[in-house]
């Protein structure tokens, strides 16, 4: 978020359509140069957590946890720094986007204290996902998984 340019925006809402349960330490995702992306109602995008925070264009992201795929229930803008919640859990903040699967979907990279998967957070299909406008400098944290 750039407070000198960005005014208020709507919350982008979605729901999980598929839960993913794996981690990787060698994924090799590349951060897109754009810190914001417009999204449309009905699009499905992949949600990926990482503990790496390097917002430079082309930054390599290797340590990841895969949360799942979310269908967006409304159009809007997702920005670096937006707060991401799934159900009652604050997952982290948007780091950026990896476009290796376009035009099928974006990987939305979410900065968290550590990479977590959908299994780690006990996620279920149809759980509500929200992207809420953050404040400059926000970086997220993820609670310990159930049973930890």
């Amino acid at each position: 978020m750039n407070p000198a340019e960005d005014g208020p925006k709507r919350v982008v809402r979605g729901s999980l359509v598929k839960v993913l349960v794996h981690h990787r330490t060698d994924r090799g995702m590349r951060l897109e140069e754009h810190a914001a992306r417009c999204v449309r109602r009905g699009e499905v995008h992949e949600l990926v957590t990482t503990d790496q925070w390097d917002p430079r264009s082309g930054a390599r992201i290797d340590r990841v946890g895969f949360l799942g795929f979310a269908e967006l229930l409304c159009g809007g803008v997702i920005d670096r720094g937006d707060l991401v919640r799934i159900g009652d859990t604050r997952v982290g903040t948007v780091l950026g986007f990896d476009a290796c699967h376009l035009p099928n979907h974006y990987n939305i990279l979410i900065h968290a204290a550590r990479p977590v998967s959908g299994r780690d957070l006990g996620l279920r299909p149809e759980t509500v996902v929200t992207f809420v406008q953050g404040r400059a400098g926000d970086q997220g944290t993820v609670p310990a998984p159930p049973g930890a």
Side-chain angles (χ1 to χ4, degrees):
M1 174 182 185
N2 180 347
E5 297 178 1
D6 295 338
K9 67 176 184 174
R10 80 177 338 176
V11 174
V12 175
R13 300 180 197 292
S15 81
L16 285 177
V17 297
K18 180 176 183 174
V19 176
L20 297 174
V21 298
H22 61 296
H23 297 84
R24 299 257 322 249
T25 58
D26 61 349
R27 179 56 182 84
M29 291 184 181
R30 295 284 179 193
L31 199 62
E32 287 288 297
E33 65 183 289
H34 309 288
R37 297 282 78 196
C38 294
V39 293
R40 295 181 178 104
R41 179 173 41 116
E43 289 181 342
V44 175
H45 295 292
E46 190 169 359
L47 307 178
V48 181
T49 60
T50 182
D51 61 347
Q52 296 175 241
W53 182 267
D54 184 350
R56 293 174 299 144
S57 177
R60 181 180 168 108
I61 306 298
D62 282 316
R63 292 186 310 272
V64 295
F66 294 87
L67 296 170
F69 289 88
E71 178 183 13
L72 301 180
L73 303 175
C74 66
V77 178
I78 298 176
D79 290 295
R80 178 175 297 129
D82 282 358
L83 306 175
V84 181
R85 294 184 73 83
I86 301 179
D88 294 330
T89 301
R90 179 181 167 164
V91 176
T93 58
V94 172
L95 168 61
F97 307 87
D98 169 79
C100 70
H101 297 296
L102 280 179
N104 187 271
H105 68 274
Y106 274 114
N107 293 317
I108 300 175
L109 299 168
I110 302 165
H111 181 258
R114 69 185 184 294
V116 291
S117 72
R119 176 186 292 142
D120 296 333
L121 297 182
L123 300 181
R124 297 278 180 243
E126 302 299 336
T127 305
V128 173
V129 177
T130 57
F131 297 87
V132 178
Q133 187 170 20
R135 297 176 307 271
D138 275 348
Q139 290 187 18
T141 59
V142 173

